[in-house]
Amino acid sequence: MRVLLINPNTSRAMTAKIAVAAREAAGAGVEIAAVCPDPGHGPEAVESHVDEVAASAAIVDLIRRDLAAGGSDAYVIACFGDPGLDAARELVDVPVLGIAEAAMHVAAIAGRRFAIVTTLGRTLGRARDLVARYGMEHACSHYLAVEIPVLALEEADPETTAAIERACLGALDAPAGEAADVVVLGCAGMADLCTLLAGRVGAPVIDGVAAAVGLAAGMVRMGVRTGIRGEYAPPPTRKHGRNDTSVTSDGFPREAAQWQL
Amino acid sequence: MRVLLINPNTSRAMTAKIAVAAREAAGAGVEIAAVCPDPGHGPEAVESHVDEVAASAAIVDLIRRDLAAGGSDAYVIACFGDPGLDAARELVDVPVLGIAEAAMHVAAIAGRRFAIVTTLGRTLGRARDLVARYGMEHACSHYLAVEIPVLALEEADPETTAAIERACLGALDAPAGEAADVVVLGCAGMADLCTLLAGRVGAPVIDGVAAAVGLAAGMVRMGVRTGIRGEYAPPPTRKHGRNDTSVTSDGFPREAAQWQL
Amino acid sequence: MRVLLINPNTSRAMTAKIAVAAREAAGAGVEIAAVCPDPGHGPEAVESHVDEVAASAAIVDLIRRDLAAGGSDAYVIACFGDPGLDAARELVDVPVLGIAEAAMHVAAIAGRRFAIVTTLGRTLGRARDLVARYGMEHACSHYLAVEIPVLALEEADPETTAAIERACLGALDAPAGEAADVVVLGCAGMADLCTLLAGRVGAPVIDGVAAAVGLAAGMVRMGVRTGIRGEYAPPPTRKHGRNDTSVTSDGFPREAAQWQL
Amino acid sequence: MRVLLINPNTSRAMTAKIAVAAREAAGAGVEIAAVCPDPGHGPEAVESHVDEVAASAAIVDLIRRDLAAGGSDAYVIACFGDPGLDAARELVDVPVLGIAEAAMHVAAIAGRRFAIVTTLGRTLGRARDLVARYGMEHACSHYLAVEIPVLALEEADPETTAAIERACLGALDAPAGEAADVVVLGCAGMADLCTLLAGRVGAPVIDGVAAAVGLAAGMVRMGVRTGIRGEYAPPPTRKHGRNDTSVTSDGFPREAAQWQL
Amino acid sequence: MRVLLINPNTSRAMTAKIAVAAREAAGAGVEIAAVCPDPGHGPEAVESHVDEVAASAAIVDLIRRDLAAGGSDAYVIACFGDPGLDAARELVDVPVLGIAEAAMHVAAIAGRRFAIVTTLGRTLGRARDLVARYGMEHACSHYLAVEIPVLALEEADPETTAAIERACLGALDAPAGEAADVVVLGCAGMADLCTLLAGRVGAPVIDGVAAAVGLAAGMVRMGVRTGIRGEYAPPPTRKHGRNDTSVTSDGFPREAAQWQL
Amino acid sequence: MRVLLINPNTSRAMTAKIAVAAREAAGAGVEIAAVCPDPGHGPEAVESHVDEVAASAAIVDLIRRDLAAGGSDAYVIACFGDPGLDAARELVDVPVLGIAEAAMHVAAIAGRRFAIVTTLGRTLGRARDLVARYGMEHACSHYLAVEIPVLALEEADPETTAAIERACLGALDAPAGEAADVVVLGCAGMADLCTLLAGRVGAPVIDGVAAAVGLAAGMVRMGVRTGIRGEYAPPPTRKHGRNDTSVTSDGFPREAAQWQL
């Protein structure tokens, strides 16, 4: 079983770190391939809606490239905004998981109410949108940001970890009627902090990368694919008279530039 | 890794069938133990709220018995009403999954809208309650029953399968704005029909037993336990002067009668 | 008209106190019978989901015993978690009310937003679930706990009352856009504090026991029964070959042990 | 105990019919006074939002007149649109109930899902608004109209009753996942049909007049008043220099014209 | 194009101020007529539900009077409680807008989450109801009141403005996961403060009068009228034998007293 | 005042048609510029989530190009899926409107419940998502598709119009409790059918292009901009060492290829 892990930003260091977390979570017999776009073919980090658009386009590119190379058994979008998730599901008929989606589903099983702790406050609106989409409005009790840029997570900084821990405890130690009992880390770049933080705060701390890989592998094992009878049917193809063969009829380049781990 | 699969009804045939489905879905290295209450210590089938109460009590008994014997790494409640789920989570600090819960989470990832197809119409109210609890109100498009009793599923009857297939197609073939693209089977006793039906209807058909075992194994691998800082903390213990040592302070018998596979 | 008040815990002192509150709220011509399970046949208090399971089983037992003795005109489940409510409605075709349900309905009429003030914070998750089930999410503004065990309410302790009063005022004195204007007491054991607290805080304070008895009597007078055409039809009966005549086909003992007031 | 029943339309025949239903539902010791505005001081029927505005104004007038005459222990607004309910709660500090509100609360206790069956389809929008306000969106399964004007209900017409019965059965006989198990009659003028219809359709049929009187009497018995610490505090009074002493500072006439039963 | 602006309170000073704001917001070719009821024919201010009832009645009167004089191309109800909105839509088949409605729609476009800042806290319940009706529950983050009576806004008081500014900043400066990024002014009497406040707080500040006039003019230009096939069809007319020709069949006076600007 | 209308597909014929509709709806003094991406720089039509991703990227490109040329006073995204809306709001601080968003806001004012009538059923999932995002779940009663590809709308085909009319009437003629009273056209390519259809079906038929232009012009007139204090602050800029100056740090090309009308 091969799971393709797609980091839609161009940070190779983050891609490598995410791949480690994914491999730890995958059971025996699960191969993890990890890709990210080449510089200039995707955003350096995903910290805005503009970045999300670029990330979505990179994901479409990278999945098409993977399909051209034979495809995978499942796909994981390793960015907490779950960019391009619906588009990815149109392109393949195997499971596709976003890490925000996976983290929230697992968090909803691990406890009653979870807090999202993320990097920049400006991304919490997207988090709210995803919470609504996944039906987690009753389950999500806190939206918290430590105001540290995504790329600053590349270096293991004790103060960063301490700031995240303080945010977690703010939610877990709230009065009984308002408190969280689970934490969701709101950035793929925090994947390596998960176990450390869980130990410190005494509560489950969910990393979406591990959650998505675990769910994806489980879905492959049980034979559940993506439904193709409705919204996720393959996109329509169109005839057109253009001579420009470097792009598809939906305007994407024919071949993405990527770095693979 | 050991996952305890608890069928809360007393049907050993169904317990055996469920165990087969669970073992197929579990990856390498996952041991599935399957138990059900002895006759007279649980309901013969779970088809009413009264049955659910009896099932919940049986589940508490069986988990306590398992804990006394050393405990498991995760627990799956193999009944679509998810009876006793909250109580089970208080008793252990490892993952506990209900099969309705697991099936809905997986279905929400496999497509946009799922139909629940179950045995008796009278259980659809409980299904609605669970859909609301798990935040799946946007995701669940149909509540359908074939009006076949749970225990009739023990025998492989082509007409039963055909009735379930007709219900699935009713939801999948609805007009675009209303149609489902995924089916959730609303009874543990349908676990063996999953692959057959998926092939016939051309859409993902989710069996909660496989979904729960897959999720449970994934959660164990990624080290996510049940949160114990809030509602799922161990139940309070109480001192009392009673001499009756055959029951606990919450009125449960000290030892459950069970059949194990 | 006879209303059976069921306290599902084994505290006879609490049962007696609840019966007093019920009798005060019942109009002329309403007979209140009050029962609780014998020690060892129910939980000593309902402070966890495990206790709720035990309480639900006790309620099924006690209603079956009451039916065997001729039945009542309405049933009130005197525990704020409303355990066993759906099961009870299957067993009879007369009104059955939970005290949380009744308190919330009355509170929604008495004002715009109510605060729930209860004993242990760990039970607030169940309160949230009930608020959602009864459609009271817009109406419930606060979930508060004084962290005093249920059985400590048996003794009239001024400090306990003061703690409850402080919690009430916290909700009533909040800024206009967030404040409650009604309080719901979240435990049957607080029934005797209702009038005292209402006077002290200058707002309606709702005790679920009185609310449920009032609603039950009203429903009997207007001839409204429990609907039996759908989910609340009598549970299916099943033939089986077991010789054990001490239990029913759903695994309940044939006869409950109870104490009646 | 005196409950003032306010029919906000000018039909004395309907007022008399409603009073009968109210008196049957009231327990011993409950005095029912019934009023309606004089012709020209209220709408002839409430079948539009314009009528609702007129009905609301009539209700404010009639409550002020009742207060000037000593007041009552509770008020019931006997029109299914619950006109003027919030205003009435500002004017008094005793319970005020709308019949739609009361019917929905009782219906939600009597079963799992209710159908509203009313006169004109054009009023169903108001019914939807009230369902949302009272948190009954999960509980209300059908919105049905027989397209018979309100005043046509004054005469006992077998065809009218048959049309209402057909509407009820349409909701009760729907497939299990969609069916209602309780009916709410959506017009005070249907109060006399309640028992007859319940017998014919085999399900609880709720008349809001009886429900409101029952709830109001129960609230008076248990000492629950309307909360006055927030939105329902008495309206502000204002100083002004006008010489016109026939109106209040909010523009209402000083004295309403009414007919009392 | 003529837009009739209806201030339902009797303050001519406020009517004049609102008309100025409306005229600034209207594009070229839009005539703004502004009316209010004469003293004694409407409330002096709208600060309670009783006032709302009086305001609604005044609005019905004033629209009927306008229709008798030839009618307008659109109507704006210039009171933040949107009194009489549904009734007004029955009376005409051109656009009718409430200022709360218009402000919320514009605020939802200008940012992600808005705060409502109003005069008296007691009106925030009505604001919540409107937020729910217009589907803005996800969009409205704060309900704030400065506890200054409506009529006190007639005078330009720096301290009033400062209090409103402080309330705005309380919402805008909240932590990222909770903050508003837009402000809605919750009273027509604040219309003149809009630009000043927007400059001071550095965020869009929406005045409902301008928003409603802008939307109304846009709807007229694009030819969108009020739908009359359902709930907003003209109210039913009724035959009756009364001789009192000073009132209509719904009990309204035949002719309203008004002041026009 | 200049409003930039962005058609994110590459159809110049559709761009021209949309510009006509926009210019009719704009009041005096509003200049409409209309652009679309060059072939190969955007999707030929937006009929899938993959197309949406391509459309979003084209919109970011075209707005950046417009900003480089001096910018506009407001932006309208002329595609019913509202692609790239959040990203666009980050790029500018003036109003940005999607046509689905604008159509729904106007429809919610024109009546009580609207039906969405669109081209391909596979896009209705996106419509549902937008309905949820804009808080229109209570307001939207029907999701209907005529299963005609977007580009087929370029030719005025009487059968296409008839199919759309039949879909409209299906929703408008439903039973009173379920019927729509307003129609929203779910595709920019239907803009020219709006008036014709409104006349035929006797109900408001909303075209999002006109609605968005009307709202945008109104917001410019009243001085409401996009809030920049939170989620819509300008995207972060990043330093990087790449030499590739043809792309920005988020991976977009520096200059978009476009066709302007």
Side-chain angles (χ1 to χ4, degrees):
Chain A
M1 186 196 318
R2 171 190 154 100
V3 176
L4 184 67
L5 190 68
I6 306 173
N7 172 19
N9 77 28
T10 57
S11 166
R12 294 177 182 188
M14 187 174 294
T15 307
K17 182 163 72 170
I18 295 170
V20 170
R23 280 168 190 146
E24 280 173 11
V30 181
E31 174 201 352
I32 301 288
V35 296
C36 69
D38 271 346
H41 294 263
E44 297 183 340
V46 183
E47 298 175 326
S48 69
H49 293 293
V50 171
D51 289 332
E52 272 163 28
V53 170
S56 299
I59 285 163
V60 170
D61 286 347
L62 294 169
I63 290 178
R64 284 194 164 152
R65 186 176 171 119
D66 185 70
L67 288 172
S72 303
D73 295 299
Y75 295 83
V76 168
I77 297 175
C79 170
F80 199 76
D82 289 356
L85 183 60
D86 284 318
R89 286 184 178 148
E90 289 176 338
L91 293 172
V92 301
D93 63 356
V94 296
V96 183
L97 286 105
I99 64 167
E101 176 186 45
M104 292 186 205
H105 285 294
V106 168
I109 293 168
R112 286 306 297 267
R113 307 223 305 164
F114 61 80
I116 295 176
V117 178
T118 193
T119 51
L120 298 186
R122 65 175 298 148
T123 68
L124 289 172
R126 177 70 180 167
R128 271 189 194 274
D129 287 349
L130 294 178
V131 163
R133 168 160 178 180
Y134 302 136
M136 298 290 166
E137 284 160 316
H138 286 95
C140 182
S141 60
H142 292 73
Y143 295 86
L144 302 169
V146 292
E147 301 299 352
I148 294 168
V150 170
L151 296 179
L153 295 172
E154 283 184 6
E155 300 130 46
D157 176 355
E159 177 43 36
T160 297
T161 309
I164 297 172
E165 181 185 343
R166 282 193 301 273
C168 295
L169 288 173
L172 296 165
D173 290 341
E178 304 304 324
D181 56 1
V182 176
V183 173
V184 165
L185 296 180
C187 179
M190 295 177 179
D192 54 339
L193 302 176
C194 189
T195 308
L196 175 66
L197 284 165
R200 285 205 199 160
V201 303
V205 176
I206 315 292
D207 160 45
V209 176
V213 167
L215 267 160
M219 288 174 74
V220 173
R221 272 191 210 99
M222 74 184 87
V224 173
R225 304 170 77 84
T226 294
I228 59 168
R229 287 182 57 130
E231 190 174 336
Y232 295 142
T237 53
R238 305 179 192 99
K239 285 188 186 158
H240 54 89
R242 281 187 290 105
N243 297 322
D244 180 355
T245 55
S246 69
V247 296
T248 64
S249 74
D250 46 27
F252 282 96
R254 286 235 170 258
E255 196 153 320
Q258 73 171 31
W259 177 80
Q260 178 157 355
L261 188 67
Chain B
M1 186 194 319
R2 172 190 153 101
V3 176
L4 184 67
L5 189 69
I6 305 174
N7 172 20
N9 77 27
T10 58
S11 166
R12 295 177 181 186
M14 189 174 293
T15 308
K17 183 163 73 169
I18 294 170
V20 170
R23 281 166 189 149
E24 281 173 10
V30 181
E31 174 201 351
I32 302 289
V35 295
C36 69
D38 270 347
H41 294 262
E44 298 184 338
V46 183
E47 297 175 328
S48 68
H49 293 293
V50 170
D51 289 332
E52 272 162 28
V53 170
S56 300
I59 285 162
V60 170
D61 285 348
L62 294 169
I63 290 178
R64 284 193 164 152
R65 186 176 171 120
D66 185 70
L67 288 171
S72 303
D73 295 300
Y75 294 82
V76 168
I77 297 175
C79 170
F80 198 76
D82 290 357
L85 183 59
D86 284 319
R89 287 185 177 146
E90 289 176 338
L91 293 172
V92 302
D93 64 356
V94 296
V96 183
L97 285 105
I99 64 168
E101 177 187 45
M104 291 185 206
H105 284 294
V106 168
I109 293 168
R112 287 306 296 268
R113 307 225 303 164
F114 61 79
I116 294 176
V117 178
T118 193
T119 51
L120 298 186
R122 67 175 297 149
T123 68
L124 289 172
R126 177 68 180 167
R128 271 189 193 275
D129 287 350
L130 294 178
V131 163
R133 168 161 177 180
Y134 303 136
M136 299 289 166
E137 284 160 317
H138 285 96
C140 182
S141 60
H142 293 75
Y143 295 87
L144 302 169
V146 292
E147 301 299 354
I148 293 169
V150 170
L151 296 179
L153 295 171
E154 284 185 4
E155 301 129 45
D157 175 354
E159 177 43 33
T160 296
T161 310
I164 297 172
E165 181 186 342
R166 281 193 302 273
C168 295
L169 288 173
L172 296 165
D173 289 341
E178 305 304 325
D181 57 0
V182 175
V183 173
V184 165
L185 296 180
C187 179
M190 296 177 179
D192 53 340
L193 301 177
C194 190
T195 308
L196 175 66
L197 284 166
R200 284 203 198 162
V201 303
V205 177
I206 315 293
D207 160 45
V209 176
V213 167
L215 268 160
M219 288 174 74
V220 173
R221 272 190 210 100
M222 73 184 88
V224 173
R225 304 170 77 85
T226 294
I228 57 167
R229 288 183 57 129
E231 190 174 335
Y232 295 142
T237 53
R238 306 178 192 100
K239 285 191 187 159
H240 55 89
R242 280 188 290 104
N243 296 323
D244 180 356
T245 56
S246 69
V247 296
T248 62
S249 75
D250 44 27
F252 283 95
R254 286 235 171 258
E255 194 153 321
Q258 71 171 31
W259 176 80
Q260 179 157 356
L261 187 68
Chain C
M1 186 196 317
R2 172 190 155 99
V3 176
L4 183 68
L5 190 69
I6 306 173
N7 172 19
N9 77 28
T10 57
S11 165
R12 294 177 182 188
M14 187 175 294
T15 308
K17 182 162 74 168
I18 294 170
V20 170
R23 280 168 190 146
E24 280 174 10
V30 181
E31 174 201 351
I32 302 289
V35 295
C36 69
D38 269 347
H41 294 263
E44 298 183 339
V46 183
E47 296 175 327
S48 68
H49 293 294
V50 171
D51 289 332
E52 272 163 28
V53 170
S56 299
I59 285 162
V60 170
D61 285 347
L62 294 168
I63 289 177
R64 283 194 165 151
R65 187 177 170 117
D66 185 70
L67 288 171
S72 302
D73 296 299
Y75 294 83
V76 168
I77 296 174
C79 169
F80 198 76
D82 290 356
L85 183 60
D86 285 318
R89 285 184 178 148
E90 289 176 338
L91 293 172
V92 302
D93 65 356
V94 297
V96 183
L97 287 104
I99 65 168
E101 175 187 48
M104 292 186 206
H105 284 295
V106 167
I109 294 168
R112 286 306 296 269
R113 306 222 306 163
F114 61 80
I116 295 177
V117 178
T118 193
T119 51
L120 299 186
R122 65 175 298 147
T123 68
L124 289 172
R126 176 69 180 168
R128 270 189 194 275
D129 287 348
L130 294 178
V131 162
R133 166 159 180 182
Y134 302 136
M136 298 290 167
E137 283 160 317
H138 286 95
C140 182
S141 60
H142 293 74
Y143 295 86
L144 302 170
V146 292
E147 301 300 353
I148 294 168
V150 170
L151 296 179
L153 294 171
E154 284 185 6
E155 301 130 44
D157 175 355
E159 177 42 35
T160 297
T161 309
I164 297 172
E165 181 186 343
R166 282 193 300 273
C168 295
L169 288 174
L172 296 165
D173 289 341
E178 304 305 324
D181 57 0
V182 175
V183 173
V184 165
L185 296 180
C187 180
M190 296 177 179
D192 54 340
L193 302 177
C194 189
T195 308
L196 175 65
L197 284 166
R200 285 204 197 160
V201 303
V205 176
I206 314 293
D207 160 45
V209 176
V213 167
L215 267 161
M219 288 175 73
V220 172
R221 271 190 211 100
M222 73 184 89
V224 173
R225 305 169 77 85
T226 294
I228 57 168
R229 287 183 57 130
E231 190 174 335
Y232 294 143
T237 52
R238 306 180 191 99
K239 285 191 186 156
H240 55 89
R242 281 187 289 105
N243 296 324
D244 179 356
T245 56
S246 69
V247 296
T248 63
S249 74
D250 46 27
F252 283 96
R254 287 234 170 259
E255 195 153 319
Q258 72 171 31
W259 176 80
Q260 177 158 357
L261 188 68
Chain D
M1 186 196 317
R2 171 191 154 99
V3 176
L4 184 68
L5 189 69
I6 306 173
N7 172 20
N9 77 28
T10 58
S11 166
R12 295 178 180 186
M14 187 174 294
T15 308
K17 183 162 71 170
I18 294 170
V20 169
R23 282 169 188 146
E24 281 174 8
V30 181
E31 175 201 351
I32 302 288
V35 295
C36 70
D38 269 347
H41 294 263
E44 297 183 338
V46 182
E47 297 175 328
S48 68
H49 293 294
V50 171
D51 289 332
E52 271 164 28
V53 170
S56 299
I59 284 162
V60 170
D61 285 346
L62 294 169
I63 289 177
R64 284 194 165 152
R65 187 176 170 119
D66 185 70
L67 288 171
S72 303
D73 296 300
Y75 294 83
V76 169
I77 297 175
C79 170
F80 198 77
D82 289 356
L85 183 61
D86 284 318
R89 286 184 177 147
E90 289 176 337
L91 292 172
V92 301
D93 64 357
V94 296
V96 183
L97 286 104
I99 64 167
E101 176 186 46
M104 291 185 206
H105 284 294
V106 168
I109 294 168
R112 286 306 295 268
R113 307 222 306 164
F114 61 80
I116 295 177
V117 178
T118 192
T119 52
L120 299 186
R122 66 175 299 147
T123 68
L124 288 172
R126 177 68 181 168
R128 272 189 194 275
D129 287 349
L130 294 178
V131 163
R133 168 160 178 181
Y134 303 136
M136 299 289 166
E137 283 161 315
H138 286 96
C140 182
S141 60
H142 292 75
Y143 296 86
L144 302 169
V146 292
E147 300 301 353
I148 294 169
V150 170
L151 296 178
L153 295 172
E154 284 185 4
E155 300 130 45
D157 176 353
E159 178 43 34
T160 297
T161 309
I164 297 172
E165 182 186 342
R166 280 192 302 272
C168 295
L169 288 174
L172 296 166
D173 290 341
E178 305 304 325
D181 57 0
V182 175
V183 173
V184 165
L185 295 180
C187 179
M190 296 176 178
D192 54 340
L193 301 176
C194 189
T195 309
L196 176 65
L197 284 166
R200 285 204 197 161
V201 303
V205 177
I206 315 292
D207 160 46
V209 177
V213 168
L215 268 161
M219 288 174 74
V220 172
R221 272 191 211 99
M222 73 184 87
V224 173
R225 305 170 76 84
T226 293
I228 58 168
R229 288 183 57 129
E231 189 174 337
Y232 294 143
T237 52
R238 306 178 191 98
K239 285 192 187 156
H240 56 88
R242 279 187 290 104
N243 297 322
D244 180 356
T245 56
S246 70
V247 296
T248 63
S249 74
D250 46 27
F252 283 96
R254 286 236 170 258
E255 194 153 322
Q258 72 171 33
W259 177 80
Q260 178 158 358
L261 187 67
Chain E
M1 186 196 317
R2 172 190 154 100
V3 176
L4 185 67
L5 190 68
I6 306 173
N7 172 19
N9 76 27
T10 57
S11 165
R12 295 178 182 186
M14 187 174 293
T15 308
K17 182 162 73 170
I18 294 170
V20 170
R23 281 169 189 145
E24 281 173 9
V30 181
E31 175 202 351
I32 302 289
V35 296
C36 69
D38 270 347
H41 294 261
E44 297 183 339
V46 183
E47 297 175 327
S48 68
H49 293 294
V50 171
D51 289 332
E52 271 163 28
V53 170
S56 299
I59 284 163
V60 169
D61 285 347
L62 294 169
I63 290 178
R64 283 194 166 152
R65 186 177 171 117
D66 185 70
L67 289 171
S72 303
D73 296 299
Y75 295 83
V76 168
I77 297 175
C79 169
F80 198 77
D82 290 355
L85 183 61
D86 284 318
R89 286 184 178 147
E90 289 176 338
L91 293 172
V92 301
D93 63 356
V94 296
V96 183
L97 286 105
I99 64 167
E101 176 187 46
M104 291 186 206
H105 285 294
V106 167
I109 293 169
R112 286 306 296 268
R113 308 223 305 163
F114 61 80
I116 295 177
V117 178
T118 194
T119 51
L120 298 187
R122 66 175 297 148
T123 68
L124 289 172
R126 177 69 180 167
R128 270 189 195 275
D129 287 349
L130 294 178
V131 163
R133 166 159 179 182
Y134 302 136
M136 298 290 166
E137 283 161 314
H138 285 95
C140 183
S141 60
H142 292 74
Y143 295 87
L144 303 169
V146 292
E147 301 300 354
I148 294 168
V150 170
L151 296 178
L153 295 171
E154 284 184 5
E155 301 130 44
D157 175 355
E159 178 43 34
T160 297
T161 309
I164 297 172
E165 182 186 343
R166 281 193 302 271
C168 295
L169 288 174
L172 296 165
D173 290 341
E178 305 304 325
D181 57 0
V182 175
V183 173
V184 165
L185 296 180
C187 179
M190 295 177 179
D192 54 340
L193 301 176
C194 189
T195 308
L196 176 65
L197 284 166
R200 284 205 198 161
V201 303
V205 177
I206 315 292
D207 160 45
V209 176
V213 168
L215 267 161
M219 288 174 74
V220 172
R221 271 190 212 101
M222 73 185 87
V224 173
R225 305 170 76 84
T226 294
I228 59 169
R229 287 182 57 130
E231 189 174 337
Y232 294 142
T237 54
R238 306 178 193 100
K239 285 190 187 159
H240 56 89
R242 281 186 289 103
N243 296 322
D244 179 355
T245 56
S246 69
V247 295
T248 63
S249 74
D250 46 27
F252 282 95
R254 286 235 170 257
E255 195 152 319
Q258 73 171 31
W259 177 79
Q260 177 157 359
L261 188 68
Chain F
M1 186 196 317
R2 172 191 154 100
V3 175
L4 184 67
L5 189 70
I6 306 173
N7 172 19
N9 76 28
T10 58
S11 165
R12 295 178 181 187
M14 188 174 293
T15 308
K17 183 163 72 171
I18 294 170
V20 170
R23 281 167 189 148
E24 281 174 10
V30 180
E31 175 202 350
I32 302 289
V35 296
C36 69
D38 270 347
H41 294 261
E44 298 184 338
V46 183
E47 298 175 327
S48 68
H49 292 294
V50 171
D51 289 332
E52 272 164 27
V53 170
S56 299
I59 285 163
V60 170
D61 285 347
L62 294 169
I63 290 178
R64 284 194 164 151
R65 187 177 171 118
D66 186 70
L67 288 171
S72 303
D73 296 299
Y75 295 82
V76 168
I77 297 174
C79 170
F80 199 76
D82 290 356
L85 184 60
D86 284 318
R89 286 185 176 146
E90 289 177 338
L91 293 172
V92 302
D93 65 356
V94 296
V96 183
L97 286 105
I99 64 168
E101 175 187 46
M104 292 185 205
H105 285 295
V106 168
I109 294 168
R112 285 307 297 268
R113 306 223 305 164
F114 61 80
I116 294 177
V117 178
T118 193
T119 51
L120 299 186
R122 66 175 298 147
T123 68
L124 289 172
R126 176 69 181 168
R128 271 190 194 274
D129 286 349
L130 294 178
V131 162
R133 167 159 178 183
Y134 303 136
M136 297 291 165
E137 283 161 316
H138 286 95
C140 183
S141 60
H142 292 74
Y143 295 87
L144 302 170
V146 292
E147 300 300 352
I148 293 168
V150 170
L151 296 178
L153 294 172
E154 284 185 5
E155 302 129 45
D157 176 354
E159 177 43 34
T160 296
T161 311
I164 297 172
E165 182 186 342
R166 281 193 301 272
C168 295
L169 288 173
L172 296 165
D173 290 341
E178 305 303 326
D181 57 0
V182 175
V183 173
V184 165
L185 296 180
C187 179
M190 295 177 179
D192 54 340
L193 301 177
C194 188
T195 309
L196 176 65
L197 284 166
R200 285 203 197 161
V201 303
V205 177
I206 315 293
D207 160 45
V209 176
V213 168
L215 268 160
M219 289 174 73
V220 173
R221 272 191 211 99
M222 73 184 87
V224 173
R225 305 170 76 85
T226 294
I228 57 168
R229 287 182 57 129
E231 189 174 337
Y232 295 143
T237 53
R238 306 179 192 100
K239 285 192 187 156
H240 56 89
R242 280 187 290 105
N243 297 322
D244 180 357
T245 55
S246 68
V247 296
T248 63
S249 74
D250 45 27
F252 284 96
R254 286 236 170 258
E255 194 153 321
Q258 72 170 33
W259 177 81
Q260 177 157 359
L261 187 68

